[in-house]
Amino acid sequence: MPTVSVKWQKEVFPGIEIDTSQPPIVFKSQLYTLTGVPPERQKIMVKGGILKDDADWSTLGVKDGQKLMMIGTADEIVKAPEKGPVFVEDLPEEEQVVALGHSAGLYNLGNTCYMNSTLQCLHSVPELKSALLSYSDTVRGNGIDQASHNLTLATRNTFGDLDQSVRPVAPLQFLQTLRKKYPQFAQQHNNVYMQQDAEECWTQLVYTLSQTLTSDSSESAVLPMKQLFGIDLVSRVHCAESGEESTETESVYSLKCHISQDVNHLHEGIKHGLKTELEKASPTLGRTAVYTRESRINELPRYLTVQFVRFFWKRESNQKAKILRKVDYPLELDVYEFCSDELKQKLQAPRQMLRDAENAKFGLKAHGKASSSKENEESSSAGESSSMDIDKAESSLPKKQLTGVYDLVAVLTHKGRSADSGHYVGWVKQDDGKWIEFDDDNPNIRKEEDILKLSGGGDWHMAYICLYKARMAESKS
């Protein structure tokens, strides 16, 4: 029987005998008693790769005195409990929230699933919660009306209730202030409150918060809504008939995914949404003419909202009809191709840093270039002053930069044939990577593959709004 030594982490275990008449799982069990690493976690390097549990020792060529290397994480030593078992329901409520692993559901107060799903998706943004916590109860900003102030406070209070409760929350205060600020959400039919459009609720709430949660906060860590959700667009407006051309800029809080027979994927829908036609008066022609508007993103947010334009007004039925077409969307969204040339230039270095960081995770060699060749030429000609700048940069704190790459963190879905009927649900990704389906007061754990099945094509829940979180690159500022 050959005798080998095994290196694990910083330790070396000499003189371990291998009984070659037994399968390798027996040898792994020996190592388990020495290291505490369970056999299923052990990766032992031998000729031809990693040692398998049922491998034939005679084919591996293990020699007497050979040194093997093992990779794996040991089990923690199990200690006897100091106290008796404690059931979750016996814990204080704030500890129950932690044990549960996700926030509470919201009671449906009568066709309010449109509101509940909107709140659950926006509640997933920690920076928004921080901004709300810093918002003053008593002091309103200049130009802020009382209804907007009250709606902001109600949003903050509802988010706080969700974080502190394991039982479903009744968002009555929020509903009342929402209807006071936006009376369309108080529409009734036969004395029953009507279902409303979740996208309209999302848009109005984000707009209100963009007016109240500005950058005037005394806390420097608090980000304004514009930085969290705002998208700056630069558009080229061109009339082929007259040759007129102009440039326009605007700020929006979502990208539109237009759906047609040619659209099968979110990327295609966004591309359609950024190129539209409009009719307006032409000064040159002296009449109405057709103009083409081609937009590009000139500034990106921390959280990117994409709305699927699934509803259109159907005159025959006098309601918003739904486009059921299946449109796939990714877990990772790269919007680089939709950016202006100016923004693309700004994104090049952070994108390279992100690639290098992700390559390093997998043990791949870093690219070593975080800028274009032109930038390299400029830096090489800068001489000693350039090296001094680098020294200063390396001594500074890391700075997070946008890359144009985003990860899906929430999906708001609709089930049914009309925006003003059917059912809305929020699907939110947790910090540990699992997904929760927030179906009003009934949260359910879901798998990632369940989220990708929400792309449409039938009467099942289909994505109406997707919320993506920016993947940041860290650099020395």
Side-chain angles (χ1 to χ4, degrees):
M1 292 189 295
T3 300
V4 299
S5 61
V6 176
K7 184 178 186 303
W8 173 65
Q9 294 183 351
K10 295 182 179 180
E11 296 183 70
V12 177
F13 299 90
I16 303 174
E17 288 189 346
I18 298 178
D19 186 352
T20 53
S21 65
Q22 299 291 331
I25 187 65
V26 176
F27 174 61
K28 289 185 175 183
S29 298
Q30 290 176 260
L31 295 178
Y32 175 49
T33 61
L34 293 171
T35 64
V37 180
E40 64 270 18
R41 293 189 195 168
Q42 295 178 18
K43 290 183 173 59
I44 302 167
M45 308 304 169
V46 294
K47 179 182 177 183
I50 296 174
L51 180 64
K52 295 182 179 179
D53 293 348
D54 57 353
D56 184 353
W57 285 112
S58 64
T59 64
L60 300 178
V62 177
K63 299 177 182 178
D64 193 56
Q66 186 172 338
K67 187 175 184 179
L68 303 177
M69 185 172 74
M70 183 183 79
I71 300 172
T73 307
D75 276 338
E76 293 183 4
I77 298 173
V78 179
K79 297 179 181 178
E82 296 179 0
K83 298 179 181 179
V86 179
F87 297 100
V88 172
E89 55 267 28
D90 296 327
L91 292 169
E93 190 156 337
E94 61 271 16
E95 292 183 30
Q96 289 186 41
V97 174
V98 175
L100 191 63
H102 59 79
S103 58
L106 290 164
Y107 282 117
N108 191 317
L109 303 178
N111 286 330
T112 58
C113 58
Y114 70 92
M115 178 189 77
N116 290 350
S117 54
T118 296
L119 285 170
Q120 292 288 11
C121 289
L122 291 176
H123 176 254
S124 69
V125 180
E127 296 91 336
L128 175 57
K129 289 194 277 188
S130 296
L132 286 165
L133 285 172
S134 70
Y135 186 73
S136 171
D137 283 30
T138 55
V139 181
R140 296 206 316 261
N142 293 331
I144 302 301
D145 61 275
Q146 186 67 46
S148 296
H149 174 69
N150 290 343
L151 184 56
T152 304
L153 292 177
T155 306
R156 184 196 66 187
N157 295 341
T158 303
F159 282 7
D161 291 342
L162 287 173
D163 286 332
Q164 296 167 17
S165 175
V166 291
R167 301 176 185 85
V169 172
L172 185 59
Q173 180 202 14
F174 180 88
L175 179 61
Q176 290 172 338
T177 54
L178 176 70
R179 286 173 173 167
K180 191 166 185 179
K181 172 65 179 174
Y182 298 106
Q184 65 265 39
F185 297 113
Q187 288 178 310
Q188 296 185 39
H189 180 68
N190 294 330
N191 294 320
V192 176
Y193 285 108
M194 297 170 61
Q195 175 71 284
Q196 300 293 333
D197 187 342
E199 185 274 330
E200 186 178 358
C201 179
W202 182 301
T203 299
Q204 299 289 22
L205 179 56
V206 167
Y207 173 76
T208 300
L209 297 179
S210 72
Q211 302 299 302
T212 57
L213 301 179
T214 62
S215 55
D216 298 333
S217 170
S218 59
E219 298 182 36
S220 59
V222 173
L223 297 174
M225 288 291 288
K226 174 71 169 61
Q227 199 169 337
L228 283 177
F229 298 100
I231 307 162
D232 283 352
L233 297 177
V234 57
S235 304
R236 173 180 173 265
V237 183
H238 175 70
C239 178
E241 190 178 359
S242 67
E244 296 169 75
E245 185 174 314
S246 61
T247 301
E248 299 177 356
T249 58
E250 63 175 327
S251 293
V252 297
Y253 281 86
S254 67
L255 294 179
K256 306 296 182 186
C257 173
H258 284 245
I259 302 173
S260 67
Q261 291 183 345
D262 303 324
V263 173
N264 297 302
H265 195 275
L266 184 70
H267 265 91
E268 298 165 342
I270 293 176
K271 189 177 290 186
H272 278 262
L274 291 173
K275 186 175 182 180
T276 57
E277 287 189 348
L278 66 152
E279 288 188 359
K280 65 176 186 174
S282 167
T284 303
L285 300 175
R287 57 176 171 79
T288 300
V290 176
Y291 288 77
T292 300
R293 181 199 297 269
E294 296 180 82
S295 302
R296 287 289 176 267
I297 301 170
N298 209 39
E299 188 172 331
L300 288 166
R302 292 288 185 97
Y303 290 85
L304 182 69
T305 305
V306 183
Q307 182 221 338
F308 292 78
V309 186
R310 287 202 172 274
F311 297 102
F312 65 98
W313 189 256
K314 198 171 183 179
R315 291 181 181 177
E316 303 91 86
S317 58
N318 199 35
Q319 65 178 4
K320 291 179 183 177
K322 187 175 181 179
I323 302 171
L324 300 177
R325 182 178 180 82
K326 181 180 180 181
V327 179
D328 292 319
Y329 53 89
L331 295 172
E332 176 189 311
L333 177 65
D334 190 345
V335 297
Y336 183 79
E337 65 173 290
F338 305 127
C339 297
S340 65
D341 291 340
E342 179 184 353
L343 181 55
K344 283 181 179 178
Q345 187 67 28
K346 292 178 182 177
L347 293 175
Q348 283 180 5
R351 287 169 71 83
Q352 186 59 60
M353 285 186 282
L354 179 65
R355 283 192 291 268
D356 288 345
E358 292 180 345
N359 286 343
K361 287 182 183 178
F362 298 102
L364 301 176
K365 189 176 181 181
H367 213 277
K369 296 180 181 179
S371 58
S372 64
S373 58
K374 182 179 178 182
E375 291 170 330
N376 287 338
E377 290 173 9
E378 291 174 352
S379 64
S380 62
S381 63
E384 294 181 5
S385 62
S386 174
S387 62
M388 289 173 64
D389 290 339
I390 292 171
D391 291 339
K392 289 179 181 178
E394 289 180 347
S395 63
S396 60
L397 294 172
K399 178 183 178 183
K400 291 186 176 181
Q401 299 183 56
L402 293 165
T403 62
V405 179
Y406 289 80
D407 295 301
L408 186 67
V409 291
V411 182
L412 190 153
T413 62
H414 178 264
K415 181 182 180 182
R417 296 285 176 131
S418 169
D420 301 325
S421 64
H423 188 53
Y424 292 97
V425 169
W427 311 66
V428 179
K429 189 176 184 179
Q430 308 300 294
D431 291 337
D432 60 3
K434 69 182 178 185
W435 284 82
I436 302 296
E437 173 196 3
F438 286 102
D439 186 355
D440 287 330
D441 59 328
N442 184 30
N444 296 293
I445 297 174
R446 295 298 182 209
K447 297 178 181 178
E448 196 170 77
E449 52 262 37
D450 296 328
I451 306 306
L452 294 175
K453 293 176 183 176
L454 305 172
S455 53
D459 286 330
W460 178 238
H461 285 284
M462 60 185 72
Y464 187 25
I465 298 174
C466 283
L467 183 64
Y468 287 89
K469 181 180 181 179
R471 194 180 298 177
M472 310 292 282
E474 282 198 358
S475 67
K476 299 286 187 178
S477 59

